[in-house]
mmCIF file of all heavy atoms in Angstrom:
data_model
loop_
_atom_site.group_PDB
_atom_site.id
_atom_site.type_symbol
_atom_site.label_atom_id
_atom_site.label_comp_id
_atom_site.label_asym_id
_atom_site.label_seq_id
_atom_site.Cartn_x
_atom_site.Cartn_y
_atom_site.Cartn_z
ATOM 1 N N VAL A 1 72.691 27.810 73.844
ATOM 2 C CA VAL A 1 72.479 27.865 72.395
ATOM 3 C C VAL A 1 73.761 27.465 71.665
ATOM 4 O O VAL A 1 73.737 26.680 70.711
ATOM 5 C CB VAL A 1 72.020 29.268 71.954
ATOM 6 C CG1 VAL A 1 72.125 29.420 70.440
ATOM 7 C CG2 VAL A 1 70.590 29.529 72.405
ATOM 8 N N TYR A 2 74.888 27.994 72.129
ATOM 9 C CA TYR A 2 76.171 27.659 71.506
ATOM 10 C C TYR A 2 76.492 26.175 71.668
ATOM 11 O O TYR A 2 76.896 25.502 70.716
ATOM 12 C CB TYR A 2 77.286 28.497 72.141
ATOM 13 C CG TYR A 2 77.710 29.663 71.301
ATOM 14 C CD1 TYR A 2 76.860 30.764 71.131
ATOM 15 C CD2 TYR A 2 78.933 29.685 70.666
ATOM 16 C CE1 TYR A 2 77.238 31.835 70.359
ATOM 17 C CE2 TYR A 2 79.319 30.758 69.886
ATOM 18 C CZ TYR A 2 78.472 31.834 69.735
ATOM 19 O OH TYR A 2 78.832 32.890 68.953
ATOM 20 N N LEU A 3 76.341 25.664 72.887
ATOM 21 C CA LEU A 3 76.678 24.268 73.148
ATOM 22 C C LEU A 3 75.783 23.328 72.344
ATOM 23 O O LEU A 3 76.240 22.301 71.832
ATOM 24 C CB LEU A 3 76.551 23.967 74.642
ATOM 25 C CG LEU A 3 77.601 24.628 75.539
ATOM 26 C CD1 LEU A 3 77.334 24.279 77.004
ATOM 27 C CD2 LEU A 3 79.016 24.199 75.152
ATOM 28 N N THR A 4 74.507 23.683 72.205
ATOM 29 C CA THR A 4 73.591 22.862 71.427
ATOM 30 C C THR A 4 73.981 22.870 69.949
ATOM 31 O O THR A 4 73.965 21.828 69.275
ATOM 32 C CB THR A 4 72.149 23.365 71.585
ATOM 33 O OG1 THR A 4 71.778 23.292 72.973
ATOM 34 C CG2 THR A 4 71.186 22.533 70.754
ATOM 35 N N ARG A 5 74.336 24.048 69.450
ATOM 36 C CA ARG A 5 74.706 24.177 68.044
ATOM 37 C C ARG A 5 75.906 23.312 67.689
ATOM 38 O O ARG A 5 75.959 22.699 66.619
ATOM 39 C CB ARG A 5 75.018 25.644 67.732
ATOM 40 C CG ARG A 5 75.437 25.904 66.289
ATOM 41 C CD ARG A 5 75.748 27.354 66.072
ATOM 42 N NE ARG A 5 76.164 27.623 64.707
ATOM 43 C CZ ARG A 5 76.626 28.795 64.279
ATOM 44 N NH1 ARG A 5 76.695 29.818 65.111
ATOM 45 N NH2 ARG A 5 76.993 28.951 63.026
ATOM 46 N N TYR A 6 76.867 23.238 68.594
ATOM 47 C CA TYR A 6 78.102 22.505 68.306
ATOM 48 C C TYR A 6 78.173 21.159 69.023
ATOM 49 O O TYR A 6 79.234 20.533 69.054
ATOM 50 C CB TYR A 6 79.312 23.360 68.683
ATOM 51 C CG TYR A 6 79.448 24.589 67.808
ATOM 52 C CD1 TYR A 6 79.097 25.850 68.280
ATOM 53 C CD2 TYR A 6 79.899 24.480 66.495
ATOM 54 C CE1 TYR A 6 79.196 26.974 67.465
ATOM 55 C CE2 TYR A 6 80.001 25.593 65.679
ATOM 56 C CZ TYR A 6 79.652 26.835 66.175
ATOM 57 O OH TYR A 6 79.745 27.942 65.361
ATOM 58 N N SER A 7 77.058 20.720 69.561
ATOM 59 C CA SER A 7 77.042 19.480 70.331
ATOM 60 C C SER A 7 77.589 18.277 69.564
ATOM 61 O O SER A 7 78.399 17.509 70.108
ATOM 62 C CB SER A 7 75.618 19.192 70.811
ATOM 63 O OG SER A 7 75.554 17.959 71.490
ATOM 64 N N PRO A 8 77.206 18.057 68.287
ATOM 65 C CA PRO A 8 77.762 16.894 67.571
ATOM 66 C C PRO A 8 79.283 16.951 67.439
ATOM 67 O O PRO A 8 79.966 15.925 67.582
ATOM 68 C CB PRO A 8 77.078 16.973 66.198
ATOM 69 C CG PRO A 8 75.814 17.734 66.442
ATOM 70 C CD PRO A 8 76.175 18.752 67.485
ATOM 71 N N SER A 9 79.830 18.152 67.184
ATOM 72 C CA SER A 9 81.283 18.297 67.045
ATOM 73 C C SER A 9 81.979 18.041 68.378
ATOM 74 O O SER A 9 83.008 17.354 68.437
ATOM 75 C CB SER A 9 81.627 19.703 66.541
ATOM 76 O OG SER A 9 81.052 19.942 65.277
ATOM 77 N N ILE A 10 81.416 18.588 69.465
ATOM 78 C CA ILE A 10 81.997 18.394 70.792
ATOM 79 C C ILE A 10 81.974 16.921 71.171
ATOM 80 O O ILE A 10 82.966 16.371 71.674
ATOM 81 C CB ILE A 10 81.234 19.239 71.836
ATOM 82 C CG1 ILE A 10 81.439 20.731 71.566
ATOM 83 C CG2 ILE A 10 81.691 18.885 73.247
ATOM 84 C CD1 ILE A 10 80.542 21.640 72.387
ATOM 85 N N SER A 11 80.850 16.263 70.911
ATOM 86 C CA SER A 11 80.724 14.846 71.254
ATOM 87 C C SER A 11 81.686 13.992 70.434
ATOM 88 O O SER A 11 82.247 13.008 70.941
ATOM 89 C CB SER A 11 79.286 14.378 71.030
ATOM 90 O OG SER A 11 78.391 15.078 71.886
ATOM 91 N N LEU A 12 81.888 14.354 69.173
ATOM 92 C CA LEU A 12 82.832 13.616 68.328
ATOM 93 C C LEU A 12 84.245 13.728 68.882
ATOM 94 O O LEU A 12 84.967 12.729 68.983
ATOM 95 C CB LEU A 12 82.786 14.151 66.896
ATOM 96 C CG LEU A 12 83.802 13.557 65.908
ATOM 97 C CD1 LEU A 12 83.599 12.051 65.766
ATOM 98 C CD2 LEU A 12 83.699 14.255 64.558
ATOM 99 N N ILE A 13 84.640 14.931 69.252
ATOM 100 C CA ILE A 13 85.975 15.121 69.816
ATOM 101 C C ILE A 13 86.121 14.353 71.119
ATOM 102 O O ILE A 13 87.140 13.690 71.358
ATOM 103 C CB ILE A 13 86.260 16.616 70.035
ATOM 104 C CG1 ILE A 13 86.298 17.354 68.692
ATOM 105 C CG2 ILE A 13 87.587 16.808 70.783
ATOM 106 C CD1 ILE A 13 86.393 18.852 68.807
ATOM 107 N N ASP A 14 85.112 14.415 71.990
ATOM 108 C CA ASP A 14 85.163 13.694 73.259
ATOM 109 C C ASP A 14 85.310 12.192 73.029
ATOM 110 O O ASP A 14 86.055 11.506 73.735
ATOM 111 C CB ASP A 14 83.898 13.974 74.075
ATOM 112 C CG ASP A 14 83.898 15.356 74.707
ATOM 113 O OD1 ASP A 14 84.987 15.958 74.799
ATOM 114 O OD2 ASP A 14 82.819 15.834 75.110
ATOM 115 N N GLU A 15 84.606 11.665 72.022
ATOM 116 C CA GLU A 15 84.687 10.239 71.718
ATOM 117 C C GLU A 15 86.094 9.869 71.257
ATOM 118 O O GLU A 15 86.644 8.838 71.661
ATOM 119 C CB GLU A 15 83.670 9.887 70.630
ATOM 120 C CG GLU A 15 83.714 8.449 70.159
ATOM 121 C CD GLU A 15 83.221 7.469 71.203
ATOM 122 O OE1 GLU A 15 82.533 7.900 72.157
ATOM 123 O OE2 GLU A 15 83.534 6.268 71.075
ATOM 124 N N ILE A 16 86.689 10.713 70.438
ATOM 125 C CA ILE A 16 88.040 10.443 69.937
ATOM 126 C C ILE A 16 89.061 10.482 71.070
ATOM 127 O O ILE A 16 89.927 9.607 71.185
ATOM 128 C CB ILE A 16 88.411 11.454 68.839
ATOM 129 C CG1 ILE A 16 87.593 11.151 67.571
ATOM 130 C CG2 ILE A 16 89.903 11.417 68.522
ATOM 131 C CD1 ILE A 16 87.722 12.195 66.492
ATOM 132 N N VAL A 17 88.946 11.492 71.926
ATOM 133 C CA VAL A 17 89.878 11.615 73.047
ATOM 134 C C VAL A 17 89.738 10.425 73.991
ATOM 135 O O VAL A 17 90.732 9.896 74.507
ATOM 136 C CB VAL A 17 89.645 12.942 73.799
ATOM 137 C CG1 VAL A 17 90.448 12.980 75.098
ATOM 138 C CG2 VAL A 17 90.028 14.121 72.917
ATOM 139 N N SER A 18 88.512 9.964 74.206
ATOM 140 C CA SER A 18 88.297 8.844 75.122
ATOM 141 C C SER A 18 88.923 7.554 74.610
ATOM 142 O O SER A 18 89.264 6.668 75.390
ATOM 143 C CB SER A 18 86.793 8.643 75.357
ATOM 144 O OG SER A 18 86.160 8.121 74.200
ATOM 145 N N GLN A 19 89.098 7.447 73.293
ATOM 146 C CA GLN A 19 89.643 6.220 72.715
ATOM 147 C C GLN A 19 91.138 6.069 72.943
ATOM 148 O O GLN A 19 91.676 4.992 72.760
ATOM 149 C CB GLN A 19 89.373 6.180 71.209
ATOM 150 C CG GLN A 19 87.933 5.927 70.851
ATOM 151 C CD GLN A 19 87.769 5.663 69.363
ATOM 152 O OE1 GLN A 19 88.755 5.565 68.632
ATOM 153 N NE2 GLN A 19 86.545 5.547 68.920
ATOM 154 N N ARG A 20 91.791 7.141 73.333
ATOM 155 C CA ARG A 20 93.254 7.058 73.464
ATOM 156 C C ARG A 20 93.682 6.091 74.564
ATOM 157 O O ARG A 20 94.820 5.651 74.599
ATOM 158 C CB ARG A 20 93.829 8.444 73.745
ATOM 159 C CG ARG A 20 93.491 8.981 75.120
ATOM 160 C CD ARG A 20 94.226 10.282 75.391
ATOM 161 N NE ARG A 20 93.891 10.759 76.725
ATOM 162 C CZ ARG A 20 93.454 11.968 76.990
ATOM 163 N NH1 ARG A 20 93.286 12.823 76.006
ATOM 164 N NH2 ARG A 20 93.186 12.339 78.227
ATOM 165 N N HIS A 21 92.756 5.774 75.482
ATOM 166 C CA HIS A 21 93.085 4.868 76.583
ATOM 167 C C HIS A 21 92.904 3.406 76.193
ATOM 168 O O HIS A 21 93.279 2.516 76.940
ATOM 169 C CB HIS A 21 92.210 5.190 77.801
ATOM 170 C CG HIS A 21 92.388 6.598 78.299
ATOM 171 N ND1 HIS A 21 93.586 7.078 78.756
ATOM 172 C CD2 HIS A 21 91.494 7.631 78.380
ATOM 173 C CE1 HIS A 21 93.448 8.343 79.121
ATOM 174 N NE2 HIS A 21 92.195 8.706 78.897
ATOM 175 N N GLY A 22 92.321 3.152 75.032
ATOM 176 C CA GLY A 22 92.129 1.784 74.583
ATOM 177 C C GLY A 22 92.764 1.560 73.245
ATOM 178 O O GLY A 22 93.859 2.059 72.953
ATOM 179 N N ASN A 23 92.088 0.811 72.403
ATOM 180 C CA ASN A 23 92.560 0.572 71.037
ATOM 181 C C ASN A 23 91.685 1.379 70.088
ATOM 182 O O ASN A 23 90.555 0.968 69.800
ATOM 183 C CB ASN A 23 92.482 -0.921 70.692
ATOM 184 C CG ASN A 23 93.430 -1.758 71.539
ATOM 185 O OD1 ASN A 23 94.577 -1.373 71.714
ATOM 186 N ND2 ASN A 23 92.944 -2.876 72.043
ATOM 187 N N PRO A 24 92.165 2.520 69.619
ATOM 188 C CA PRO A 24 91.345 3.377 68.757
ATOM 189 C C PRO A 24 90.849 2.649 67.522
ATOM 190 O O PRO A 24 91.564 1.835 66.935
ATOM 191 C CB PRO A 24 92.306 4.516 68.380
ATOM 192 C CG PRO A 24 93.358 4.497 69.438
ATOM 193 C CD PRO A 24 93.512 3.063 69.827
ATOM 194 N N ALA A 25 89.609 2.943 67.134
ATOM 195 C CA ALA A 25 89.046 2.335 65.930
ATOM 196 C C ALA A 25 89.696 2.908 64.680
ATOM 197 O O ALA A 25 89.705 2.272 63.638
ATOM 198 C CB ALA A 25 87.534 2.558 65.889
ATOM 199 N N CYS A 26 90.243 4.126 64.790
ATOM 200 C CA CYS A 26 90.819 4.808 63.637
ATOM 201 C C CYS A 26 92.047 5.587 64.097
ATOM 202 O O CYS A 26 92.319 5.708 65.271
ATOM 203 C CB CYS A 26 89.819 5.802 63.036
ATOM 204 S SG CYS A 26 88.181 5.164 62.733
ATOM 205 N N ALA A 27 92.749 6.133 63.122
ATOM 206 C CA ALA A 27 93.772 7.133 63.416
ATOM 207 C C ALA A 27 93.178 8.487 63.021
ATOM 208 O O ALA A 27 92.453 8.585 62.034
ATOM 209 C CB ALA A 27 95.049 6.849 62.626
ATOM 210 N N TYR A 28 93.481 9.525 63.789
ATOM 211 C CA TYR A 28 92.839 10.819 63.599
ATOM 212 C C TYR A 28 93.879 11.898 63.340
ATOM 213 O O TYR A 28 94.874 11.990 64.047
ATOM 214 C CB TYR A 28 92.021 11.186 64.842
ATOM 215 C CG TYR A 28 91.089 10.089 65.275
ATOM 216 C CD1 TYR A 28 91.456 9.203 66.280
ATOM 217 C CD2 TYR A 28 89.861 9.932 64.653
ATOM 218 C CE1 TYR A 28 90.614 8.185 66.660
ATOM 219 C CE2 TYR A 28 89.007 8.918 65.041
ATOM 220 C CZ TYR A 28 89.383 8.042 66.040
ATOM 221 O OH TYR A 28 88.551 7.036 66.412
ATOM 222 N N TYR A 29 93.624 12.723 62.338
ATOM 223 C CA TYR A 29 94.541 13.785 61.968
ATOM 224 C C TYR A 29 93.827 15.128 61.921
ATOM 225 O O TYR A 29 92.645 15.196 61.598
ATOM 226 C CB TYR A 29 95.154 13.520 60.584
ATOM 227 C CG TYR A 29 96.048 12.314 60.520
ATOM 228 C CD1 TYR A 29 95.564 11.098 60.045
ATOM 229 C CD2 TYR A 29 97.365 12.386 60.933
ATOM 230 C CE1 TYR A 29 96.386 9.990 59.979
ATOM 231 C CE2 TYR A 29 98.193 11.277 60.867
ATOM 232 C CZ TYR A 29 97.699 10.082 60.397
ATOM 233 O OH TYR A 29 98.512 8.989 60.343
ATOM 234 N N ILE A 30 94.555 16.169 62.225
ATOM 235 C CA ILE A 30 94.045 17.525 62.065
ATOM 236 C C ILE A 30 95.132 18.389 61.439
ATOM 237 O O ILE A 30 96.314 18.226 61.742
ATOM 238 C CB ILE A 30 93.573 18.133 63.404
ATOM 239 C CG1 ILE A 30 92.863 19.465 63.158
ATOM 240 C CG2 ILE A 30 94.714 18.282 64.384
ATOM 241 C CD1 ILE A 30 92.069 19.958 64.344
#
């Protein structure tokens, strides 16, 4: 239930982290 609720946020973070090995489409700040 928890993982489903936050799935879009988790997937977004995973996508951003995966980009570090290539040429990121954006710069990301927190």
Side-chain angles (χ1 to χ4, degrees):
V1 166
Y2 258 70
L3 291 178
T4 300
R5 179 181 179 187
Y6 293 104
S7 176
S9 299
I10 294 170
S11 297
L12 175 61
I13 295 172
D14 285 342
E15 176 70 18
I16 289 172
V17 171
S18 71
Q19 288 190 6
R20 70 173 181 232
H21 300 299
N23 295 315
C26 311
Y28 309 97
Y29 294 98
I30 188 165

